[in-house]
Amino acid sequence: MDAMKAQALLASFSIFLLFPNTLTAPAIASCARCDEVAHGFASLNGGTYGGRDGTVVTATTFEQLKEYAGSEEPLIIRVDGALTAEPLGYEVPIKSDKTIIGVGNTGHIVGGGFNINQEKNIIIRNLEISDTYIPEDYNGKTEDWDAIQIDTGSNIWIDHVKLTRMADGLIDSRKDTDYITVSNSLLSDHNKAFGIGWTDNVIAKMTINDNFFNSTNQRNPSADNLLHCHMYNNYHLNLTSYGNYARGQTQLLVENSYFEEVHDPVVAGPDASIRSNLLKFKDCTGETHESVNPDNVFDAREFYEYEVKDPYDLPTTIPPFVGPREDIGV
Ligand SMILES: *[C@@H]1O[C@H](CO)[C@@H](O)[C@H](O)[C@H]1NC(C)=O
Ligand SMILES: *[C@@H]1O[C@H](CO)[C@@H](O)[C@H](O)[C@H]1NC(C)=O
């Protein structure tokens, strides 16, 4: 063996010692920022990390997405391109320990959505979900076609999504779904945006921060029987029926938010409590309940750290940063 060959052999052998799996492991798709974990209430109760410890796979068809989302193992599922739901309105069931994440700003579910039923540790991130809207049915009475419906789920993080023009709700969080964070998202052009409740129990805890509610009519959110509802850094524009609505026994802490052309920006039902900090209103109408039995309301800093923004900055800083991002999932 000549000296050069011996040297090459030695070099490859030392690489093998350093990275014993590199010769056998299958090629894994890159996935930028796919190991990020939830903040807020979804960071408690063991945390929300989705499929972080599993394989990275890429769905380029709706059939693949259904298969991966229904698998029993942890997976990071990249959604590459616009996938059209079949049949119209189909909500893909997601099993525990999954991250569903769009590739840059291409990931889009058209004409369908997702359903989580008694599953946990799920991240839905960096995706657009749209267009099950039925034009002759503005009130959404004919089909329960949501973008994201969660029944009795826990540890769910919805982040950097754009949800628009659906038949029923954009997000329906029901039946004691707990430890959930919804952040950096755009909820737009819709009637019933974000409903929370469908339960008599008062146990669920939710963080809703850095979102843009744009031209939605009602449920921004409608928060019924949430033990702790923490909203901060949200920008609301052109909400025609009402804005943040604390119903049932909900405790709502609402901080550093901006309301523009909103009817009834912040309101409480007869048994709810509201404490607020630094809310700014421009051209709003109707009622505002900034303080309703405020001593009943929890202190979010006893649960986690968070950073509030100057509400006057929200109309300019929030819109560019909500929804899918070029640098996530690529
Ligand atoms: C906000 O809603 C208006 C009215 O429907 C729409 O024209 C506009 O594109 C929306 N903005 C965003 C950022 O989605
Ligand atoms: C306000 O939102 C409604 C939908 O709720 C929409 O029809 C209307 O065009 C929006 N107005 C503006 C000025 O964007």
Side-chain angles (χ1 to χ4, degrees):
M1 189 185 297
D2 63 38
M4 214 140 90
K5 264 190 186 156
Q7 208 172 20
L9 195 69
L10 190 67
S12 60
F13 185 64
S14 24
I15 285 173
F16 181 72
L17 287 182
L18 280 174
F19 307 102
N21 293 323
T22 47
L23 301 178
T24 51
I28 290 177
S30 67
C31 199
R33 300 181 56 188
C34 291
D35 53 0
E36 293 177 0
V37 300
H39 58 277
F41 278 114
S43 72
L44 307 180
N45 192 42
T48 302
Y49 47 88
R52 186 186 58 187
D53 303 327
T55 310
V56 180
V57 295
T58 303
T60 55
T61 67
F62 194 68
E63 279 307 309
Q64 285 173 335
L65 175 67
K66 274 161 55 176
E67 189 183 322
Y68 290 137
S71 130
E72 298 291 340
E73 54 179 322
L75 285 179
I76 295 181
I77 305 162
R78 299 161 80 237
V79 176
D80 193 356
L83 313 187
T84 300
E86 174 58 44
L88 177 67
Y90 187 82
E91 294 173 0
V92 176
I94 312 176
K95 290 241 160 83
S96 298
D97 306 316
K98 299 294 180 300
T99 297
I100 309 219
I101 192 159
V103 176
N105 52 21
T106 70
H108 189 169
I109 311 300
V110 184
F114 293 102
N115 177 284
I116 298 169
N117 194 336
Q118 302 183 61
E119 305 286 339
K120 61 182 197 323
N121 183 33
I122 292 167
I123 298 174
I124 300 175
R125 221 173 158 216
N126 208 47
L127 271 182
E128 177 168 354
I129 305 175
S130 72
D131 295 290
T132 60
Y133 180 60
I134 302 165
E136 48 293 349
D137 182 22
Y138 179 72
N139 290 318
K141 296 291 184 202
T142 52
E143 300 290 351
D144 182 17
W145 292 339
D146 303 324
I148 300 171
Q149 174 168 314
I150 313 165
D151 285 352
T152 326
S154 90
N155 291 90
I156 315 288
W157 184 29
I158 297 169
D159 181 69
H160 281 291
V161 296
K162 171 179 178 179
L163 310 176
T164 181
R165 299 185 303 273
M166 298 300 277
D168 188 45
L170 296 180
I171 303 174
D172 275 11
S173 175
R174 321 187 326 162
K175 302 177 185 169
D176 308 324
T177 291
D178 201 3
Y179 296 106
I180 157 160
T181 297
V182 177
S183 50
N184 304 302
S185 291
L186 169 61
L187 288 80
S188 187
D189 298 271
H190 190 77
N191 178 12
K192 295 181 277 188
F194 187 176
I196 307 160
W198 288 271
T199 179
D200 293 328
N201 303 321
V202 187
I203 58 167
K205 297 163 282 294
M206 187 176 296
T207 304
I208 301 167
N209 69 278
D210 292 84
N211 300 296
F212 180 21
F213 293 84
N214 173 53
S215 296
T216 46
N217 181 39
Q218 54 180 314
R219 304 188 183 168
N220 299 294
S222 160
D224 189 21
N225 284 336
L226 272 179
L227 180 62
H228 301 324
C229 182
H230 185 205
M231 302 190 65
Y232 62 94
N233 299 350
N234 293 300
Y235 174 42
H236 316 75
L237 174 65
N238 180 34
L239 313 187
T240 37
S241 180
Y242 57 83
N244 307 160
Y245 184 10
R247 309 172 63 160
Q249 309 277 323
T250 291
Q251 293 178 24
L252 170 64
L253 173 61
V254 50
E255 308 184 274
N256 298 56
S257 295
Y258 196 94
F259 298 81
E260 182 170 351
E261 293 166 35
V262 177
H263 186 69
D264 288 354
V266 181
V267 281
D271 302 316
S273 321
I274 297 180
R275 186 157 59 84
S276 56
N277 276 316
L278 269 181
L279 307 185
K280 298 297 166 197
F281 303 95
K282 184 181 177 199
D283 302 330
C284 292
T285 53
E287 289 182 61
T288 302
H289 305 159
E290 288 188 74
S291 181
V292 181
N293 295 320
D295 296 341
N296 278 349
V297 177
F298 65 103
D299 178 359
R301 295 203 193 274
E302 287 180 4
F303 298 94
Y304 51 77
E305 289 301 309
Y306 60 100
E307 276 177 39
V308 289
K309 293 179 173 164
D310 179 343
Y312 286 111
D313 289 341
L314 294 177
T316 48
T317 60
I318 281 216
F321 293 104
V322 294
R325 309 287 300 159
E326 273 178 11
D327 63 339
I328 300 179
V330 286

